[in-house]
Amino acid sequence: MPVAEPDVIAKLQKKEPAGFLLASVRGVGQVDFQPLLWTGVLILGSLWGAGWEYGLFATLGALFATAAAYLLGVDRSNIALGLQGFSGCLTGIALWVYLGNHGSTYVLTLVGAVMCVVINATLTAFLAPYKLNAMTAPFCIVTAVMVIGAPSYGRLWHGATPPAADPTYGGSGLTWSDLWRAFFTNVSQIFLVDEWWVGLVMLVALTLAGWRVGLFAAAGSIVGILVAWAFGAPDAQIANGIFGYNAVLVSIGMGTVFLAATAWNCVYTLIAAGAATALTASLTTLFDTFGGHTFTWPFNLTTWAFMAAVPFFPKILRTG
C-alpha cells in the first residue's frame, strides 16, 4: 500500500471526529490503493450517484471498520492512511448487493467490518515473512462466509438477488458500444457497480492520485477486455466488467505500489493482469458449486503469486 512521509502522516492523525471521518473516506480510495483524500471523495460520491444504497453501505462499511480499528488500538498512522477501511467498504456494498436492504444487513455490515479488521491483522502477520500484503482478502473471506451462510438463517436471508447477477450471454460479437462500456465498467465493478459513468468518474479520481495510477488502471482494463475476448468470454459479461475488474486492481497494485517503475516491471504487471482475467472464469465456476462469489479473489491470488515469485527474477524489482 502507499506510504507517506512522517510529517504527512502527522497531519493525517487529527483528533476525532475529523481524523476519523477523513480516515474513513481515505479507506474508500484505498480499495484502489490510493490514500489521496479527493480520490476517496470522488469514488464515494460516484457510489452515492449510482444509488443511495451503494453509497450508504459503502460509507457504513468504511466507518465501522475504521472505528473498530481505533477501538482495537491499531497503529494510528495506518488508520489515518485509510488502510483499515477499504475491506469494510467493499463488505458493506457486497452484503447489500447479495442480501438486500434489511435490518439484518446493517447488523451484518457492522459485524463484517469489525471482522475485516481482525482478519486483516491475521493475514498481515501470516504474510509478512513473504513480504506480501493482505489487500482485499479480508473482504473476500468475511463476505463469503456471511453470504454463503445467510440462506440457512431466516432472519438474514430474504431471497435477495444481486443486480445483474446473471447478465445475458452474448454471441454476436463485441460492438464498439460494448468495448467502451467495458473499459469503464471494469473500473466500477471493483465496487460491484454496473454503471459505465461511475467507472469514468472513478478513473478520473485515480488519475488525480497520479498519472501513472490512471494509466495503469486504463491499461489493466484494456488487458482485461482483450484476454476475455480472446478466450471467448460472453460478450455481455465483458461489457458489464465482470471479467476485467480484477485486471484493473492487479495493474494498479503491481504497477504503481508494489513494483518499481521499470519497463520489465510494466510487462510483468500486464502479464499478471491477463492472468487475473483468465483466473476469473475458473474461480467463478468453482465458487458457483457451493453458492459462493468470485469477488476480488483473482486479484488477490494473482498478485500474491506474481509478487512471491519476484525474488527469483532479477529483472523484476520491488519498490523501496
Side-chain angles (χ1 to χ4, degrees):
M1 292 295 181
V3 297
E5 297 298 328
D7 58 330
V8 175
I9 293 176
K11 292 179 181 178
L12 295 178
Q13 293 175 305
K14 296 180 180 179
K15 298 295 183 181
E16 292 81 2
F20 166 69
L21 294 176
L22 293 176
S24 299
V25 174
R26 286 189 173 90
V28 178
Q30 283 285 12
V31 171
D32 291 318
F33 297 94
Q34 305 309 312
L36 183 69
L37 180 62
W38 287 112
T39 297
V41 169
L42 279 178
I43 291 177
L44 186 58
S46 70
L47 290 171
W48 279 94
W52 67 270
E53 288 167 313
Y54 275 115
L56 177 61
F57 281 94
T59 302
L60 290 177
L63 288 172
F64 289 155
T66 303
Y70 271 112
L71 292 175
L72 291 171
V74 175
D75 180 73
R76 290 298 181 91
S77 64
N78 186 280
I79 298 174
L81 288 170
L83 294 175
Q84 295 297 318
F86 63 92
S87 281
C89 169
L90 289 176
T91 296
I93 297 173
L95 289 175
W96 167 68
V97 167
Y98 291 102
L99 300 182
N101 187 353
H102 304 282
S104 58
T105 310
Y106 291 87
V107 176
L108 287 178
T109 297
L110 171 60
V111 175
V114 174
M115 288 306 302
C116 280
V117 176
V118 176
I119 299 300
N120 182 65
T122 301
L123 290 177
T124 298
F126 177 76
L127 295 171
Y130 309 100
K131 296 182 179 180
L132 299 177
N133 194 288
M135 298 184 293
T136 59
F139 148 66
C140 293
I141 294 171
V142 172
T143 306
V145 169
M146 290 184 166
V147 173
I148 292 173
S152 299
Y153 301 101
R155 297 187 188 279
L156 302 182
W157 184 248
H158 305 276
T161 55
D166 297 302
T168 303
Y169 275 51
S172 59
L174 288 171
T175 65
W176 170 246
S177 177
D178 291 332
L179 290 173
W180 68 256
R181 175 182 171 82
F183 178 76
F184 294 115
T185 54
N186 283 343
V187 181
S188 65
Q189 277 288 3
I190 294 171
F191 293 83
L192 287 77
V193 178
D194 177 20
E195 293 286 353
W196 71 265
W197 67 266
V198 174
L200 171 59
V201 174
M202 290 181 176
L203 188 57
V204 171
L206 292 172
T207 304
L208 283 178
W211 67 268
R212 292 184 66 250
V213 178
L215 181 61
F216 272 99
S221 183
I222 292 172
V223 169
I225 294 171
L226 291 176
V227 172
W229 171 81
F231 284 6
D235 299 339
Q237 291 193 356
I238 295 175
N240 290 340
I242 302 301
F243 278 88
Y245 68 94
N246 283 288
V248 174
L249 278 175
V250 169
S251 188
I252 296 173
M254 291 181 58
T256 69
V257 179
F258 300 130
L259 296 178
T262 70
W264 280 104
N265 284 353
C266 179
V267 173
Y268 192 66
T269 295
L270 295 181
I271 292 173
T277 303
L279 185 59
T280 296
S282 302
L283 291 183
T284 298
T285 301
L286 173 64
F287 291 142
D288 280 347
T289 61
F290 53 85
H293 301 281
T294 308
F295 298 133
T296 54
W297 274 122
F299 152 63
N300 289 309
L301 294 176
T302 300
T303 304
W304 285 337
F306 275 73
M307 290 305 300
V310 167
F312 295 92
F313 306 135
K315 292 183 179 180
I316 308 302
L317 305 175
R318 286 178 174 267
T319 54

